[in-house]
Amino acid sequence: WNNWRGFIQLHAAAGIKFGFGDTGTIFQKNIVSKNAAIGIWKDVGLAGTVIDANMVEENTGYGILSEISHADSANPTRISNNIIRDNHLYGYGVVVSGGTYNHIYHNTLLGNNITLVEGDWALGTTHPNGQPLAYNRVFNNIIRDPGKNAPGTSWGYSIGRPVDGGIMPGTGAVAVHDNLIDNNLYHNTAANIPYATAPMFRLLQIGGSGSAL
């Protein structure tokens, strides 16, 4: 029930926001509900973060946001075993924005989807803590009715990520690469929604809206 003063959701506000910390932050077995903002926001840094076994529901922003992650293969970010339902902004349940080694698995999403996005560099800016979108893993999740909270939009897909490629400003590094999505279960109970507007998977063109698969 945070953000009753109405701060801008995508700049500052969340039910809980943490960042710039040490390795090994654990956020586990909490109820994050009905915040007028993003539910859980993990920002810059925090390798080895675990977001596990939470109920994240009915927040007006995204359910969970992992932004500009500085994880590595030895200390990935783990988002696992959460129930994520009916979060409202674009219907996004879990968002990874410009991060590496985010492992998203064994979550149940109801009325929400999972989306990987390039981050600030796609807008032609260079964040001092900017990261490519790479080595992320999305496995063994259940996703039901992802378009429920994104009516009248093209955001009703189950999982979205950018196509590989792109160049990060200032560094010349490849921006999007080596992201794996496999063994997820998709279920849409709204039989009257055409597949073109509620596809299982969407490749998001860099800087654009993308195409359905």
Side-chain angles (χ1 to χ4, degrees):
W1 294 81
N2 290 305
N3 197 28
W4 60 272
R5 292 188 65 184
F7 292 105
I8 298 174
Q9 295 184 38
L10 292 180
H11 290 259
I16 181 167
K17 183 175 182 179
F18 46 96
F20 295 97
D22 295 328
T23 298
T25 299
I26 297 174
F27 189 79
Q28 189 174 50
K29 297 182 180 178
N30 299 281
I31 296 174
V32 183
S33 179
K34 297 182 175 66
N35 295 284
I38 293 167
I40 302 170
W41 189 343
K42 170 192 172 291
D43 206 354
V44 185
L46 293 169
T49 294
V50 174
I51 300 173
D52 179 76
N54 300 286
M55 171 70 81
V56 185
E57 62 174 359
E58 298 181 23
N59 299 287
T60 62
Y62 311 148
I64 300 172
L65 171 60
S66 178
E67 184 179 20
I68 317 178
S69 167
H70 286 257
D72 54 42
S73 59
N75 296 287
T77 294
R78 175 160 64 89
I79 300 172
S80 58
N81 302 307
N82 300 286
I83 297 175
I84 303 162
R85 71 174 188 88
D86 294 329
N87 299 286
H88 294 291
L89 190 60
Y90 305 126
Y92 286 174
V94 179
V95 178
V96 173
S97 179
T100 55
Y101 293 99
N102 290 272
H103 292 180
I104 303 167
Y105 58 85
H106 299 315
N107 300 286
T108 299
L109 293 94
L110 308 173
N112 283 149
N113 64 19
I114 298 172
T115 297
L116 312 180
V117 297
E118 313 90 302
D120 290 342
W121 66 266
L123 303 178
T125 62
T126 304
H127 194 290
N129 298 296
Q131 290 280 290
L133 184 72
Y135 306 113
N136 297 292
R137 305 290 182 260
V138 183
F139 287 174
N140 302 330
N141 300 282
I142 298 172
I143 303 172
R144 190 182 77 180
D145 294 333
K148 175 183 175 183
N149 290 291
T153 75
S154 62
W155 302 108
Y157 50 81
S158 295
I159 296 178
R161 71 167 179 85
V163 296
D164 287 351
I167 300 297
M168 295 186 67
T171 67
V174 176
V176 180
H177 62 92
D178 294 293
N179 299 291
L180 296 180
I181 298 170
D182 198 10
N183 207 44
N184 300 284
L185 176 66
Y186 314 103
H187 182 215
N188 194 338
T189 62
N192 62 331
I193 297 178
Y195 178 72
T197 59
M200 289 191 301
F201 186 75
R202 182 176 290 268
L203 283 174
L204 304 173
Q205 299 295 329
I206 293 174
S209 61
S211 58
L213 296 179

